[in-house]
Structures are given as structure tokens and as C-alpha cells.
Amino acid sequence: EKLRNMPVKLGDLADRIFQGLVTGADPVFIVENENGKTFYSENTDRSHKLETELLHPLCKGSVNIRRYMISEITKSILFPYKLVDGKAELLSAKELSSDYPQVWEYLKENRSRLESRERGKWKNSRWYAFGRSQNLGEMEQKKILTPSIANRASFTLDSSNAYYFVGSGGGGGGGYGITLKASEFLSYEYVLGLLNSKLLDLFLKSLSTSFSGGYYAYNRQYIEQLPIRTINFSDPADKYRHDNIVKLVEQMLAAKEKLAQSKTEAKTHRLEAHCASLDRQIDAAVYELYGLTEEEITIVEKEKT
């Protein structure tokens, strides 16, 4: 009740909370990156040489979008568009055939599959476009990512502005992106720490749809309701709380990156222990930030999140 009554929600601070791409033909557009030059297509059941300029690293929901990290990417999405002033425009057949002949040959080979989408709706000059045009220009920017279904808060940060992801129709591997309104005070790392905290995850699970196996929906209609504690930067104590969470989140992101690259069991155990410690420190900082009493902290800690 205390959290529900807080005035500022994630939906107020977000510029956009958006779903991933919907191709309408994932076996054609989503390919397995074999060596950076050749790509395996499920639709043709063989490898193809394709121009890499039109292929982008693809996150498949909870497979790749993990808590404070993006796990090793093996899939790429073929994106036959160009970005013009932040908007995606479909490349013309002439542009594709002259500038990306390998991609164009691959698309032509899959033409019948692409034209048959939605009972033949795509039998026109745009037959190689994605099934939905929403959010095509949103991928290449800084964003917080979350899988649409997870058993706990699994928000992470794409600070490379490079990761593409699919919508919830993408074979169970869907997700959401969150961009924040431009502000000199609103830090992505700060918001990320709050979203991954035990406190806000418990609150989300009280709102969300639950599934078997302890999974919950992390859809827009739920995550936009999460209460975000705003900071009074003229108050030194408040500024310290903010800076402390940002510092801990930065340490967590760095530790998770090292963990993903760890080659020995001993180093993996050491880094996992470090991440668990950072998680506890972030939770404690969030409890203080939100003004929880000892009794209220006990309620949160008792719950499985």
C-alpha cells in the first residue's frame, strides 16, 4: 500500500516502454551466426553468406536478457531497413540488389514463404518487410531491457545501443525496451538498480499475471506501475543514496561481464559470491531509500523473489 501510494511511477519517467520486433517470419529473418560471415537459416536448412551490415545481434527474451547482463548472443536478425532521422525505411529492391546482393538473393530464395504471411497479404512490392512496422527505429539506442516472462526481475542495460530484440510473439523469446526521458538527473543505472531490487520485484509480482513454474509477466502494463523514488539532489543525504546505488549497479554490471567471461570454476564461484553480495547491498540501499521500517523489510525478505 505504501508503494502503491507513491506518486511517481516508471511510466511517468519513461520516454517509451516498447515491445520488440515482429517479423511474421522468424525462421527467415532470424539466423544463427556461425562465424561472423556465414549464417544458418532454419527456413532453408543451410548456411548462407550474408552482408553483415544488415545483420544485428538479437536478444531472445530470457535466453539472453538476464539480470544485469546480456548472455552470449548466437542469433542475428536480418534487418532490411535503413535508419533515416531515427526512422526505419525499407530498403528498395534496387538498393538491396546493388549494395547487398547476397542478402537480396537470400530474400528472393525465401520469397514464397514471406509472401504467404497473413494469407497472402504480403504479395506486393514490400514482400520482404517485417510483419509489423512498430518500433523498427527504436533498437539502436541506450535502453533497459527485460524479458516479457521471467521468474524474477531480470532487467539489464544496453549501453552499447546495439542489441535488437523481438516481441512477445517471437517464439516465447520476447521482451520490452525502456528508454528514459532526457534529464541530467535521471540515471539509467539508478533506475536499473531499483527495478532489479527485491522490493520492487515483490511489488510487481503482486500486480502481475503468474504462470506455472513460478514465472510472471513483465509486460508494459505491469512495469509501468512500478514506483520510482525521485531524488532531491539539493539534499546531500538524498544525493548520497542515489550515488551509492549507481556505484553499486556499476560494480554489478562490471562483475556480471567478468562472470560471463570466466573460464575457471574458482573464479566463477568468487564472482558469483561478489554479485550476491552486491545484490544484498543494493536491496539494503533501496529499503533505506524507500523508507522501509524493520518490520516492512522483514515482510519483503520473507517472500521468495
Side-chain angles (χ1 to χ4, degrees):
E1 199 61 37
K2 189 173 187 174
L3 293 176
R4 195 174 283 113
N5 289 332
M6 290 181 67
V8 180
K9 315 294 183 189
L10 181 63
D12 301 317
L13 300 176
D15 184 38
R16 290 205 64 204
I17 301 174
F18 57 95
Q19 267 196 297
L21 304 172
V22 178
T23 72
D26 284 358
V28 175
F29 290 109
I30 296 176
V31 292
E32 193 79 21
N33 187 343
E34 293 181 322
N35 55 20
K37 293 178 182 177
T38 61
F39 301 85
Y40 171 78
S41 165
E42 184 185 325
N43 203 59
T44 65
D45 192 23
R46 68 174 206 278
S47 300
H48 300 261
K49 279 189 175 181
L50 301 170
E51 288 88 2
T52 55
E53 296 93 330
L54 297 184
L55 288 147
H56 301 277
L58 180 77
C59 293
K60 288 282 283 183
S62 56
V63 175
N64 302 116
I65 303 171
R66 305 282 184 86
R67 188 179 175 81
Y68 291 112
M69 69 180 289
I70 293 171
S71 68
E72 184 184 4
I73 300 288
T74 62
K75 295 187 184 297
S76 297
I77 189 164
L78 174 53
F79 192 69
Y81 294 84
K82 58 184 176 183
L83 293 177
V84 180
D85 297 326
K87 292 185 179 179
E89 292 181 7
L90 188 66
L91 289 162
S92 68
K94 185 180 177 183
E95 286 173 307
L96 283 167
S97 62
S98 64
D99 298 339
Y100 310 101
Q102 292 170 328
V103 164
W104 182 235
E105 286 303 314
Y106 172 73
L107 289 171
K108 285 195 296 182
E109 188 174 338
N110 292 281
R111 184 167 184 162
S112 61
R113 169 72 174 82
L114 296 174
E115 285 185 338
S116 67
R117 288 175 291 169
E118 299 178 66
R119 299 179 181 178
K121 173 187 168 184
W122 290 95
K123 285 188 176 179
N124 57 52
S125 62
R126 294 174 60 84
W127 56 268
Y128 52 89
F130 283 2
R132 296 288 176 270
S133 59
Q134 292 92 327
N135 308 323
L136 293 174
E138 299 290 339
M139 298 292 121
E140 295 185 20
Q141 59 180 326
K142 188 173 186 177
K143 54 193 175 288
I144 292 171
L145 295 172
T146 177
S148 51
I149 297 174
N151 58 3
R152 69 184 295 203
S154 299
F155 295 87
T156 192
L157 183 63
D158 173 17
S159 54
S160 66
N161 310 357
Y163 291 104
Y164 282 52
F165 63 100
V166 289
S168 53
Y176 284 82
I178 304 162
T179 55
L180 301 176
K181 289 175 181 172
S183 165
E184 60 180 307
F185 298 127
L186 198 57
S187 155
Y188 274 81
E189 289 79 6
Y190 172 72
V191 174
L192 180 62
L194 303 190
L195 296 180
N196 273 331
S197 70
K198 196 177 279 188
L199 176 62
L200 261 59
D201 200 34
L202 179 64
F203 181 75
L204 181 134
K205 287 174 177 176
S206 74
L207 308 170
S208 177
T209 304
S210 60
F211 301 95
S212 60
Y215 284 80
Y216 289 82
Y218 286 76
N219 294 348
R220 175 182 173 164
Q221 72 254 42
Y222 305 123
I223 60 178
E224 68 183 2
Q225 296 183 56
L226 291 171
I228 302 297
R229 165 72 152 75
T230 54
I231 298 293
N232 175 9
F233 281 90
S234 60
D235 176 358
D238 226 20
K239 183 179 183 302
Y240 171 79
R241 293 186 193 103
H242 167 275
D243 293 350
N244 182 46
I245 288 173
V246 168
K247 181 187 75 176
L248 291 169
V249 168
E250 286 173 343
Q251 289 174 5
M252 177 72 90
L253 290 167
K256 289 281 188 175
E257 201 171 316
K258 288 177 185 172
L259 183 59
Q261 296 165 358
S262 174
K263 298 287 191 288
T264 67
E265 196 173 330
K267 188 175 182 182
T268 297
H269 284 320
R270 190 166 66 250
L271 285 165
E272 284 174 344
H274 182 47
C275 289
S277 171
L278 288 169
D279 244 338
R280 290 191 295 271
Q281 291 176 67
I282 291 168
D283 282 335
V286 171
Y287 295 148
E288 183 188 343
L289 184 74
Y290 281 73
L292 265 64
T293 63
E294 287 298 324
E295 184 184 2
E296 289 164 344
I297 291 170
T298 303
I299 292 168
V300 179
E301 289 289 333
K302 275 183 181 175
E303 294 292 333
K304 286 185 178 180
T305 58

